[in-house]
Amino acid sequence: MKITGGTYQIGFTDLYGEEHETELSAHNMKELEELWRSLCPEFTCRQNSIRYIEQG
């Protein structure tokens, strides 16, 4: 999947098995990956817990 700048809806599963969705904005894939990694502790999830990414 090629990621270009914009807003993305990210569906993920937390460490308790509950499904969530968040919206993040990034200029490129590297920035989106770094932002996601930095938010994983707050979201109580693992980096590989993403179920889907949709550009909004």
Side-chain angles (χ1 to χ4, degrees):
M1 168 187 273
K2 184 177 179 183
I3 302 289
T4 58
T7 302
Y8 303 90
Q9 287 74 41
I10 300 177
F12 65 96
T13 304
D14 68 17
L15 295 176
Y16 306 104
E18 296 181 27
E19 296 179 359
H20 300 275
E21 183 177 272
T22 190
E23 186 172 281
L24 301 176
S25 295
H27 291 101
N28 55 47
M29 182 61 161
K30 182 179 179 181
E31 184 177 275
L32 186 60
E33 288 175 354
E34 291 172 359
L35 180 57
W36 174 254
R37 194 173 313 123
S38 74
L39 291 170
C40 284
E42 181 179 335
F43 293 154
T44 317
C45 67
R46 295 181 184 190
Q47 292 178 29
N48 65 351
S49 65
I50 294 175
R51 294 183 5 259
Y52 62 86
I53 300 175
E54 297 176 351
Q55 192 166 14

